[in-house]
């Protein structure tokens, strides 16, 4: 079937006399059929040359996936535009362009990716999600595939999730020895609420899993509520949240409390109801840890109060706060001068910078008194607790990262906040 066939089908449909709704539905069905046939033809026609080798579309996609994993990429973006298809990889939080594909070959790549993810290649008007498995010598990966229609065609994003990954320990996160000791003391408590905070992409999930690994002993009954479950850990009861099915964080948390838990991890507090139940659990003898999105540790208090949680309950339940950012590490091979090992970026890998707060009685009194945010920050600095900016600058002094990276992570607006 060729591209002109769609006009033949259109003519046939227009001969129908059973109403516009029927005509529209028939047109959509036939358009999908035509899209599928065109996609198959594009896939079969695709050929490209890399390093003197002629690759079909499957071999080319495998090449792209392998190169992404070599660079430690977390995501691959296939982005259509007026002149073809741009392919970018996200490495250490940054998008890097790796290829430009001609317009005639773009549709073949997108269609093949959709087939690999068990998506409908004929449906181009609606977003779709799927998964595929990619195996290489270093291990097997689950790859999440997501599509979205744009004005130039479908954009596809692949995200790598390694099967049976090694969960980081607390020692691997980048905390100072003092911060590590404080964190371990917080986790060794029988009850209380520990909140990990930071913007999206700051490594909060990695910290949560490191905390789970530390606590995962036979004496502890641990239940996690996650959306999604990023890593599976033996010995821990992990619950996948399904909001569309009615299984929310709040409903799951109520159920978890009837399962005789010692420790509960909540992926994120998104509303007052979940916050209220979490605080109640911490006050009734459970160790609870979760995440929020705030700029620093002190802002966690104001966020909870903004959810209309009573100040005395926040003060009573809150035992610790861990605020964090991720900073890129200077490449060990070129020391930032750029080389093939770091993909000519100058950085390779990331580490965390932290503000660890063990909530003491004076801090609890400040919470109950509803003092302004700047006074909470001022108290923390008076107690010798380094701000996030100070923690990042220490990474610069140690030669682990650069001043430019420090300024990138903390923008001008945040600098005014975090230097207090």
């Amino acid at each position: 079937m060729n591209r002109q066939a769609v006009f033949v089908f259109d003519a046939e449909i227009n001969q129908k006399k059973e109403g516009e709704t029927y005509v529209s539905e028939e047109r959509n069905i036939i358009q999908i059929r035509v899209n599928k046939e065109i996609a198959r033809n594009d896939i079969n026609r695709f050929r490209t040359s890399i390093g003197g080798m002629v690759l079909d579309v499957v071999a080319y996609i495998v090449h792209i996936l392998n190169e992404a994993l070599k660079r430690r990429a977390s995501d691959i973006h296939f982005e259509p535009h007026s002149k073809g298809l741009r392919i970018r990889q996200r490495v250490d939080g940054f998008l890097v362009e790796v290829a430009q594909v001609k317009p005639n070959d773009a549709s073949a790549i997108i269609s093949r990716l959709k087939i690999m993810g068990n998506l409908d290649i004929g449906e181009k008007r609606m977003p779709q999600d799927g998964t595929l498995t990619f195996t290489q010598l270093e291990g097997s990966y689950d790859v999440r595939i997501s599509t979205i229609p744009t004005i130039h065609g479908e954009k596809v994003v692949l995200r790598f999730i390694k099967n049976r990954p090694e969960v980081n320990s607390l020692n691997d996160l980048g905390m100072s020895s003092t911060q590590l000791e404080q964190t371990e003391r917080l986790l060794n408590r029988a009850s209380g609420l520990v909140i990990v905070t930071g913007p999206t992409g700051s490594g909060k999930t990695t910290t949560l899993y490191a905390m789970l690994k530390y606590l995962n002993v036979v004496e502890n009954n641990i239940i996690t509520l996650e959306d999604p479950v990023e890593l599976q850990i033996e010995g821990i009861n992990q619950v996948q949240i399904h909001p569309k099915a009615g299984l929310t964080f709040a409903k799951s948390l109520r159920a978890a409390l009837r399962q005789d838990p010692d420790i509960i991890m909540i992926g994120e507090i998104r509303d007052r109801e979940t916050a209220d139940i979490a605080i109640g659990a911490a006050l009734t003898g459970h160790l609870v840890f979760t995440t929020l999105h705030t700029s620093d540790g002190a802002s966690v208090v104001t966020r909870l109060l903004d959810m209309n949680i009573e100040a005395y309950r926040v003060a009573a339940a809150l035992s610790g706060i861990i605020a964090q950012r991720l900073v890129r590490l200077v490449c060990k091979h070129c020391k930032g001068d750029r080389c093939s090992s770091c993909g000519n970026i100058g950085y390779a890998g990331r580490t965390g910078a932290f503000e660890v707060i063990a909530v003491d009685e004076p801090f609890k009194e400040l919470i109950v008194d509803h003092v302004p945010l700047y006074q909470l920050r001022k108290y923390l600095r008076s107690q010798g607790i380094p701000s996030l900016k100070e923690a990042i600058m220490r990474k610069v002094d140690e030669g682990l990262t650069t001043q430019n990276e420090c300024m990138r992570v903390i923008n001008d607006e945040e600098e005014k906040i975090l230097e207090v």
Side-chain angles (χ1 to χ4, degrees), residues 77-369:
H77 293 240
F78 298 83
E79 304 167 315
H81 55 86
S82 59
K83 297 180 180 179
L85 185 73
R86 178 173 64 175
I87 302 177
R88 295 193 289 175
Q89 301 169 353
R90 187 173 294 279
V91 180
D92 294 334
F94 266 67
L95 282 172
V96 180
E97 183 174 313
V98 295
Q100 288 278 355
V101 179
K102 296 180 293 184
N104 291 340
D105 293 334
S107 61
I109 293 172
I110 298 298
S111 297
R112 184 60 203 177
L113 287 169
K114 290 171 71 175
I115 290 173
M116 293 168 69
N118 199 28
L119 305 182
D120 185 350
I121 61 172
E123 178 55 77
K124 299 185 177 184
R125 302 158 301 169
M126 299 294 292
Q128 298 186 66
D129 296 288
T131 58
L132 59 96
T133 299
F134 182 66
T135 302
Q136 58 167 209
L137 293 177
E138 287 77 9
S140 178
Y141 293 81
D142 286 333
V143 184
R144 290 183 190 156
I145 177 170
S146 171
T147 74
I148 190 170
T150 74
I151 59 173
H152 294 298
E154 288 180 287
K155 180 181 186 292
V156 175
V157 174
L158 305 183
R159 165 156 289 189
F160 293 104
I161 303 172
K162 189 171 184 179
N163 291 331
R164 305 182 186 280
E166 181 64 30
V167 179
N168 287 332
S169 67
L170 292 174
N171 292 316
D172 300 325
L173 299 180
M175 292 181 177
S176 68
S177 58
T178 301
Q179 291 174 334
L180 185 60
E181 291 174 6
Q182 290 175 323
T183 301
E184 290 177 347
R185 282 199 296 269
L186 290 173
L187 298 180
N188 286 330
R189 295 183 55 161
S191 63
L193 177 63
V194 179
I195 295 180
V196 180
T197 190
T200 300
S202 60
K204 298 187 297 295
T205 300
T206 300
T207 299
L208 287 181
Y209 278 116
M211 293 162 71
L212 287 173
K213 182 176 182 178
Y214 178 82
L215 293 165
N216 188 18
V217 294
V218 70
E219 294 84 4
N220 287 331
N221 176 22
I222 304 175
I223 299 178
T224 72
L225 313 175
E226 308 175 58
D227 184 22
V229 175
E230 297 281 357
L231 303 175
Q232 296 182 26
I233 304 177
E234 287 293 329
I236 293 178
N237 307 288
Q238 296 175 269
V239 178
Q240 169 68 59
I241 300 300
H242 289 289
K244 292 183 179 179
L247 188 62
T248 62
F249 277 110
K251 183 175 289 187
S252 299
L253 183 51
R254 287 194 184 92
L257 288 170
R258 296 192 289 270
Q259 293 286 312
D260 185 33
D262 298 298
I263 299 161
I264 301 174
M265 188 273 272
I266 307 165
E268 181 184 353
I269 288 181
R270 297 178 179 174
D271 52 52
R272 184 191 186 281
E273 184 181 16
T274 306
D276 197 51
I277 301 170
I279 286 175
L283 291 173
T284 54
H286 303 89
L287 178 60
V288 180
F289 50 99
T290 185
T291 70
L292 281 174
H293 288 78
T294 67
S295 59
D296 66 340
S299 300
V300 165
V301 174
T302 57
R303 177 61 54 83
L304 291 173
L305 297 179
D306 287 344
M307 291 182 177
N308 294 321
I309 306 296
E310 296 87 346
Y312 75 91
R313 297 186 77 232
V314 173
L318 194 60
S319 58
I321 302 169
I322 301 173
Q324 65 181 87
R325 295 289 191 279
L326 287 178
V327 295
R328 293 182 296 170
L329 295 169
V330 172
C331 176
K332 295 179 180 179
H333 296 90
C334 64
K335 305 300 181 183
D337 289 335
R338 307 192 179 203
C339 65
S340 58
S341 295
C342 60
N344 294 314
I345 297 174
Y347 300 91
R350 291 186 289 180
T351 189
F354 297 88
E355 176 190 23
V356 179
I357 303 167
V359 178
D360 57 15
E361 287 304 318
F363 193 78
K364 290 177 182 287
E365 292 175 6
L366 293 175
I367 295 174
V368 173
D369 291 340

